[in-house]
Amino acid sequence: MAVSVLSFPLTSFHEDGSLDADGYRAHVADRLAAGPGALFPACGTGEFFSLDEDEYRRVVTIAVEETAGRVPVVAGTGYGWAQALRFARIAEEAGADALLVMPHYLTPAPQDGLVAQVERIAAGTRLPLIAYQRGQVAYTAETVRRLAAVPGVIGLKDGHSDLDRLQRTVLAAPGDFLFFNGAATAEVQARAYAAVGVPAYSSAVHAFAPEIANAFLTALRAGDHGTVDKLLRDFYVPFVELRDRAPGYGVSLVKAAARLRGCPVGPVRAPLTDPSAAELAELKTLLATGLDLVGATL
């Protein structure tokens, strides 16, 4: 999964909010054609939080069918451990290869409770687990060492970007434990994460502009800092500034950008909201600029 960027496909909806299975299948096929290191359906970018169990089953099943074993399929799961296991069993039946355990619902919890949550899920599924720290979930280095000893727990996705803490965590974990940069718009911090031993990252940009995402990774791996800096300065940082204008735009802008490129992903579901007409115009200009930087077109 460290060979290429990790792709988190969007979940397609019709204008009335119902699941668009055909649109989703087409979107997944396009993401796979762009060569990701793994596919993560029904996760944060895929609006896991808005899917019921039947929709979740359809989304994961389509991802598995379209992938056909070419790359790992890591499905999202979450909420409390009991509900997470319901989704885990659906993912197993659908043929997923692993699970991304997203932060539990709402309440803060002590480290022992965070470990117990993951232990409960691991004990109830045959699928390997990648824990995800973000929001109210923040593991200490000692907790990650404990999680790494839980059978079936294979890695950690970090969304906090506390690099001092993350460096201590990487050093405390076993050498074969997987780490992923899961910061919002991860490319902005990719060099810093790589410096503490976490080179693999998820890319929301891959969901709408794989040409940009792949060009960035190629430049980063080659040590081409001039290209990296230009992509950051002229595309990624302005995208982040636009993303930060409203809560939830980490998904809403990605979906809007995908629609601008003709991807049949539809609108976001409430409580998320789509960008305004003025923001869409800004996004279109920015997207055209980013694509031009890598020799592609809108």
Side-chain angles (χ1 to χ4, degrees), residues 151-226:
V153 179
I154 63 170
L156 174 72
K157 182 182 179 186
D158 174 70
H160 282 297
S161 304
D162 183 339
L163 295 179
D164 178 274
R165 185 178 183 132
L166 184 60
Q167 178 68 91
R168 297 167 191 262
T169 301
V170 171
L171 294 172
D176 60 350
F177 197 68
L178 303 175
F179 285 93
F180 304 100
N181 167 5
T185 316
E187 286 91 343
V188 174
Q189 301 185 61
R191 281 189 293 203
Y193 269 84
V196 298
V198 185
Y201 61 86
S202 57
S203 175
V205 171
H206 194 273
F208 64 86
E211 304 97 324
I212 299 174
N214 289 338
F216 181 90
L217 178 65
T218 298
L220 183 67
R221 294 278 172 83
D224 181 357
H225 296 297

Side-chain angles (χ1 to χ4, degrees), residues 201-294:
Y201 61 86
S202 57
S203 175
V205 171
H206 194 273
F208 64 86
E211 304 97 324
I212 299 174
N214 289 338
F216 181 90
L217 178 65
T218 298
L220 183 67
R221 294 278 172 83
D224 181 357
H225 296 297
T227 297
V228 168
D229 286 345
K230 187 166 185 59
L231 287 169
L232 289 174
R233 183 183 303 110
D234 295 344
F235 174 74
Y236 281 101
V237 170
F239 181 78
V240 168
E241 291 171 350
L242 185 55
R243 182 203 71 199
D244 288 347
R245 289 189 189 174
Y249 268 21
V251 176
S252 300
L253 277 183
V254 173
K255 261 199 164 174
R259 291 195 301 272
L260 286 172
R261 302 205 71 194
C263 298
V265 295
V268 292
R269 275 182 173 175
L272 301 183
T273 58
D274 287 308
S276 67
E279 288 167 334
L280 283 175
E282 288 184 61
L283 179 61
K284 185 174 183 178
T285 298
L286 177 58
L287 180 54
T289 297
L291 290 168
D292 184 63
L293 288 173
V294 298

